[in-house]
Amino acid sequence: MDSARRHADSEDEETAAGFRKIIHVDMDAFFASVEQRDDPSLWGRPVAVGGSSDRGVVATASYEARAFGVRSAMPSVRAARLCPELIFCRPRFDVYKAVSQQIRAIFLDYTPHVEPLSLDEAYLDVTADIRGIGSASRIAELIRQRIRAATALTASAGVSYNKFLAKLASDENKPDGLCVIRPGEGAAFVARLPVKRFHGVGPRSAEKMAALGIATGADLAAKDLAFLRSHFGSQADYLYRAARGIDLRRVRADRPRKSVGGERTFARDISSGPALRAALEQTIDTVWERIERGGAQGRTVTLKLKFIDFQAMTRARSLPAFVADKRQFEQVARELLEAVLPLPQPVRLMGLSLSGLAGDAPEPSSPPGQGEMPF
Ligand code: TTP
Ligand code: MG
């Protein structure tokens, strides 16, 4: 690919990705903060969660302990040497999991597109602003407040137009901080950072980069794609974009895909077209209410009919994009019914569902249109 083409492509990608609003939320010193919360004698003290034995390692350390240089994955023996006052706590995973569920429930109040990375962090795609809050930064602040109120723990959040930048941003003002990287600011933000702060660049890659003279985002951006491919293989494209503040990955929810719907067995079998149409309207109302309540999004509408001989028939139609509103849902459902009329025999049950559910944030292929939410 010549460089002019490549430039044009990356601009397109940046434009498309610029339509997203992504929040990365990450709890502060998670395990250690939970231990401090639950044991007042630990307040303000250097705490390490992990085994204190000869072979133990530190899972995480409180910020008081970090001041001494104690870090995650450090041998406990070394941590104790760096910080003689260090208090070791055994991990209580059941408690961490419970907190994790609490924060996840809060996230889901603002978007169905939640991708947890671990117990204490997640990406959220809030492009659609389903609560009408008005800005992604405001959503992030509300989430942080609610986490504090519900768990008595602090979280940091990063807000940006892609996952890569949002994660860097959440790290920027830790603990209990917020950072927003607006469209147009990504490349400059990344340029000054050491590459070891990039998600996906572990200690080994960082060493390799150092040997190649790559210490910062700017150094990385100076290398062309062919160079990166020859040294970093399948990671090259990601790195090439990351160095420019570009990241095309979608937020992928971990929820299993399922359908939302409902069915109704009629008190009396229905055989006439008009009666079936009337029944369909009622089914649409019930099912749509469920879809809205659950914040579900899907692109496949399925109509199911069961006849008096208990044979079932289903008809489905998938739209290229998520069903946008009730009117569209209604229209597809009606078309599905019209296509099977007249019916071979009376119907005893009718069902309607929406599936291909997302979880996953939609492709940012089309701009959300006027009134786009600000950062
Ligand atoms: P992190 O979010 O990486 O770290 P943290 O929450 O302790 O601190 P902060 O985000 O404020 O920098 O990891 C979340 C939890 O995962 C952490 O509390 C303990 C656990 N963990 C390990 O068990 N081993 C590790 O090597 C790391 C990095 C984390
Ligand atoms: Mg954390």
Side-chain angles (χ1 to χ4, degrees):
M1 204 189 308
D2 64 62
S3 78
R5 266 269 300 294
R6 193 164 61 225
H7 182 66
D9 277 359
S10 64
E11 259 183 1
D12 287 350
E13 288 165 353
E14 189 160 31
T15 310
F19 294 123
R20 288 180 208 171
K21 308 280 189 308
I22 309 293
I23 301 175
H24 179 257
V25 181
D26 190 318
M27 303 295 288
D28 301 317
F30 184 44
F31 295 2
S33 301
V34 172
E35 297 312 320
Q36 287 180 316
R37 176 193 72 177
D38 294 347
D39 179 355
S41 77
L42 302 176
W43 293 357
R45 310 273 301 273
V47 171
V49 177
S52 60
S53 73
D54 287 355
R55 294 172 42 224
V57 289
V58 173
T60 195
S62 70
Y63 276 77
E64 295 84 356
R66 290 182 198 195
F68 291 84
V70 178
R71 295 284 180 270
S72 291
M74 181 180 276
S76 300
V77 173
R78 170 134 191 264
R81 251 195 326 259
L82 287 171
C83 177
E85 307 272 278
L86 190 62
I87 302 164
F88 283 91
C89 298
R90 297 228 145 268
R92 294 181 301 151
F93 287 102
D94 50 337
V95 183
Y96 312 145
K97 273 186 200 143
V99 173
S100 188
Q101 277 164 10
Q102 281 180 291
I103 65 172
R104 220 161 279 179
I106 293 171
F107 300 155
L108 288 168
D109 268 350
Y110 297 89
T111 173
H113 312 305
V114 176
E115 177 181 337
L117 286 178
S118 67
L119 286 180
D120 87 322
E121 61 180 309
Y123 292 113
L124 285 64
D125 186 321
V126 298
T127 312
D129 189 20
I130 55 172
R131 292 275 207 113
I133 286 159
S135 86
S137 324
R138 178 85 190 120
I139 296 174
E141 278 303 43
L142 288 173
I143 287 174
R144 289 184 347 98
Q145 282 168 19
R146 285 192 54 198
I147 288 177
R148 187 195 279 268
T151 69
L153 298 166
T154 62
S156 297
V159 181
S160 196
Y161 51 93
N162 64 45
K163 286 163 67 163
F164 175 71
L165 292 171
K167 185 157 165 72
L168 287 176
S170 74
D171 215 27
E172 189 66 10
N173 295 322
K174 257 182 179 297
D176 199 13
L178 176 79
C179 170
V180 184
I181 304 173
R182 294 183 171 74
E185 298 173 352
F189 188 92
V190 166
R192 65 178 176 80
L193 289 185
V195 283
K196 63 172 187 289
R197 274 202 40 203
F198 290 14
H199 187 50
V201 177
R204 272 221 311 275
S205 307
E207 249 171 59
K208 193 166 160 186
M209 287 187 193
L212 294 165
I214 303 168
T216 65
D219 299 335
L220 190 61
K223 305 294 180 197
D224 65 22
L225 198 51
F227 176 91
L228 294 178
R229 282 192 179 140
S230 70
H231 290 281
F232 301 101
S234 61
Q235 227 199 346
D237 290 61
Y238 170 76
L239 292 172
Y240 181 86
R241 291 187 184 117
R244 287 156 183 75
I246 298 169
D247 179 9
L248 306 174
R249 295 170 303 159
R250 275 194 289 166
V251 168
R252 298 201 172 275
D254 68 343
R255 286 195 309 178
R257 281 155 186 269
K258 51 182 188 199
S259 70
V260 173
E263 45 185 51
R264 221 176 110 209
T265 304
F266 302 124
R268 244 183 266 153
D269 301 331
I270 300 181
S271 46
S272 83
L276 269 174
R277 289 187 190 106
L280 181 70
E281 296 306 314
Q282 280 186 13
T283 312
I284 289 169
D285 288 344
T286 316
V287 172
W288 185 257
E289 204 192 299
R290 258 176 227 171
I291 291 168
E292 284 219 302
R293 215 179 321 127
Q297 287 180 301
R299 55 180 111 237
T300 305
V301 180
T302 304
L303 173 73
K304 173 175 156 191
L305 298 172
K306 206 179 256 181
F307 298 107
I308 47 171
D309 68 354
F310 285 87
Q311 293 264 27
M313 166 171 122
T314 59
R315 290 289 182 273
R317 221 182 100 199
S318 292
L319 302 178
F322 296 133
V323 170
D325 52 18
K326 186 178 177 186
R327 183 175 298 205
Q328 198 178 20
F329 182 65
E330 211 164 55
Q331 193 189 330
V332 177
R334 285 178 190 151
E335 284 169 14
L336 288 170
L337 180 63
E338 292 306 322
V340 296
L341 292 177
L343 291 169
Q345 49 175 322
V347 173
R348 62 186 310 273
L349 172 148
M350 174 185 278
L352 198 58
S353 67
L354 182 66
S355 59
L357 286 181
D360 293 351
E363 291 286 359
S365 53
S366 59
Q370 79 277 56
E372 193 196 331
M373 176 175 65
F375 272 84

